[in-house]
Amino acid sequence: MANINNSTGKTRRAEVAGGGFAGLTAAIALRQCGWDVQLHEKGSELRAFGAGIYLWYNGLRVLEGVGALEDVLAGSHTPPVYETWLHNKSVSRETFNGLPWRIMTRAHLHDALVKRAKEVGVEIRTGSEAVAADPDGRLTLQSGEVLEADLIVGADGVGSKVRDSVGFEQDRWVSTDGIIRLIVPRMKKELGHGEWDNTIDMWNFWPRVQRILYSPCNENELYLGLMAPAADPRGSRVPLDLEVWVEMFPFLEPCLIEAAKLETARYDKYATTKLDAWSKGKVALVGDAANAMCPALAQGAGCAMVNALSLSQDLERGSSVEASLAAWEKRVRPITDRCQALSGEYAANRSLSKGNMFTPAALESASYDPLRGVFSWPQ
Ligand code: FAD
Ligand code: 5PR
């Protein structure tokens, strides 16, 4: 299906900067609508950074829409229960009224999207860094090359050069808590008796603030998020300070020993970005470039993917690219804004430690179905 530019008579063309979850989703969705799409990734290869990721119904529906759901479901996991512990006692066991959700490694999700992008004919350029964009529809690369297009998508993450070159008013801040994220072997046998297929969010405020978010990704891989305040030198140390973590979580020792072996571990603080607008002229921003958020509700990638897919829907409906981008932001941004605000509040107040915090408001964005434009799931 060709998607024709009325003034040039040619198939409409999009240049996408960034090969993360947002850029790949946008590229596939546009391509499926008949656009010619070129995706630029500054890295020398397409790969995912980080450890594990949660996707909820919204993200899973996007995957269905872009034709990558089957690949993602194979080799990922839905825990029977999302448990919260406070000082090693269970305070809640949530199942979200049957709302579909899934945990996977980031590499697994990324591989599926890359495979699909290639299948549908997205042209992928690695080692290609975008340095500037122009609302008239131009993307400038580090190499000096200038590309003209009907649409420029800035999906180049929280430090977006596309965004900063165009100039948006922005509000950015960084949190006081941070996290070490790792993938380790499940070690099921060594862990012994316990509901180790569950997600378990283990909070401790005494004698120190330390939390482990235990998240099985599949039979073999476990995603661990080890949280401590940035001001705690031992809790935030990488590679891991094994002693301080085993002391607090002795029952996880077999996994923590594996975690401490990982030399490449990083401690990351949470970044939030809020912009006055998501688009200017023919330039649209998606994902962390537009709305990085705290991870408490595990919705950064989910919202990014919904917004990337929705962009292609509004471009199908609208008259000009500029008008479609404005309509897109008006339609989907309130969902992301509410999610970002609540996620930030939860992170600041460490609210998840209370348990039963996945209220209908907290699950609003997670329950959005971008294919039908409604907040409901099959029950
Ligand atoms: P990125 O993943 O940052 O991708 C940007 C890509 O662009 C990269 O490949 C980069 O190399 C490339 N790039 C950068 N600059 C340029 C340039 N100038 N030119 C070309 N390419 C460029 N979300 C969830 O949905 N579920 C979760 O469970 C979850 N957990 C999280 C846990 C933590 C601790 C954090 C911090 C975030 C979490 N998130 C989660 C949020 C999620 O990780 C992000 O929102 C999501 O990855 C953003 O994707 P993106 O494609 O916008 O950006
Ligand atoms: N949920 C998830 C997550 O990865 C984090 C948080 C909540 C899935 C951070 O790693 O509260 O920070 C959180």
Side-chain angles (χ1 to χ4, degrees):
M1 174 182 48
N3 200 322
I4 306 295
N5 176 326
N6 287 335
S7 53
T8 63
K10 287 193 196 144
T11 301
R12 291 205 284 185
R13 179 165 194 88
E15 298 288 342
V16 179
F21 302 131
L24 285 165
T25 304
I28 301 166
L30 288 165
R31 182 77 197 120
Q32 288 185 157
C33 292
W35 289 66
D36 281 340
V37 183
Q38 183 160 244
L39 180 142
H40 303 268
E41 166 55 46
K42 79 169 175 190
S44 58
E45 52 182 329
L46 277 173
R47 54 176 290 233
F49 287 91
I53 190 152
Y54 286 54
L55 286 187
W56 303 78
Y57 185 57
N58 59 338
L60 296 172
R61 285 292 276 171
V62 172
L63 291 175
E64 196 171 339
V66 300
L69 182 62
E70 243 179 77
D71 280 345
V72 169
L73 291 182
S76 60
H77 172 68
T78 303
V81 177
Y82 189 115
E83 265 195 272
T84 303
W85 293 1
L86 183 57
H87 297 134
N88 300 332
K89 285 207 181 65
S90 184
V91 291
S92 70
R93 296 172 61 88
E94 293 171 272
T95 50
F96 319 122
N97 265 321
L99 180 72
W101 62 297
R102 203 95 182 146
I103 309 178
M104 63 212 68
T105 66
R106 286 181 181 250
H108 183 70
L109 175 59
H110 199 260
D111 285 351
L113 288 171
V114 169
K115 179 181 160 203
R116 186 63 186 153
K118 289 179 177 162
E119 240 167 51
V120 299
V122 172
E123 299 161 53
I124 296 174
R125 276 168 71 170
T126 52
S128 181
E129 183 178 0
V131 291
D134 183 319
D136 288 344
R138 270 183 299 275
L139 184 70
T140 305
L141 304 178
Q142 176 68 33
S143 62
E145 196 177 344
V146 180
L147 301 162
E148 286 197 23
D150 299 282
L151 170 72
I152 308 292
V153 179
D156 47 347
V158 68
S160 174
K161 291 196 172 168
V162 169
R163 175 194 64 212
D164 293 344
S165 67
V166 171
F168 289 87
E169 261 179 52
Q170 46 185 298
D171 202 358
R172 296 173 71 169
W173 64 97
V174 173
S175 64
T176 49
D177 285 354
I179 182 166
I180 303 164
R181 290 175 283 173
L182 305 157
I183 299 288
V184 296
R186 289 286 302 268
M187 313 297 284
K188 258 182 149 174
K189 228 173 53 221
E190 291 80 356
L191 288 178
H193 182 70
E195 290 179 87
W196 298 118
D197 282 343
N198 285 351
T199 276
I200 315 177
D201 193 2
M202 307 164 176
W203 288 83
N204 286 278
F205 291 101
W206 186 90
R208 288 175 305 276
V209 177
Q210 269 175 271
R211 166 190 178 201
I212 292 186
L213 181 61
Y214 170 101
S215 315
C217 295
N218 53 46
E219 266 307 298
N220 306 313
E221 292 168 296
L222 170 67
Y223 165 36
L224 288 180
L226 299 99
M227 268 154 270
D232 173 359
R234 290 194 72 186
S236 56
R237 184 176 306 157
V238 281
L240 228 64
D241 183 331
L242 187 59
E243 194 183 64
V244 87
W245 288 100
V246 171
E247 195 177 272
M248 192 74 97
F249 303 95
F251 44 86
L252 287 184
E253 184 171 10
C255 300
L256 293 169
I257 289 173
E258 294 300 316
K261 290 180 190 163
L262 299 172
E263 293 287 328
T264 53
R266 281 191 348 201
Y267 178 85
D268 295 308
K269 289 204 259 176
Y270 310 150
T272 301
T273 312
K274 218 171 151 84
L275 304 183
D276 59 337
W278 283 1
S279 73
K280 208 167 261 184
K282 296 188 161 97
V283 178
L285 302 174
V286 286
D288 282 4
N291 49 251
M293 65 175 78
C294 287
L297 296 176
Q299 271 295 330
C303 286
M305 291 163 64
V306 163
N307 297 339
L309 177 84
S310 304
L311 179 67
S312 72
Q313 295 170 332
D314 284 291
L315 284 159
E316 286 289 270
R317 290 179 197 136
S319 42
S320 68
V321 165
E322 291 85 340
S324 303
L325 296 186
W328 161 68
E329 178 172 349
K330 187 156 182 254
R331 185 169 72 90
V332 296
R333 180 166 176 168
I335 308 169
T336 297
D337 280 352
R338 286 193 290 270
C339 179
Q340 184 188 44
L342 192 57
S343 218
E345 209 179 294
Y346 273 24
N349 301 323
R350 299 174 177 153
S351 308
L352 289 172
S353 62
K354 289 188 260 178
N356 287 316
M357 291 306 285
F358 286 95
T359 59
L363 290 173
E364 188 206 19
S365 57
S367 62
Y368 181 64
D369 176 353
L371 301 182
R372 292 183 302 133
V374 295
F375 293 89
S376 76
W377 63 94
Q379 301 190 53

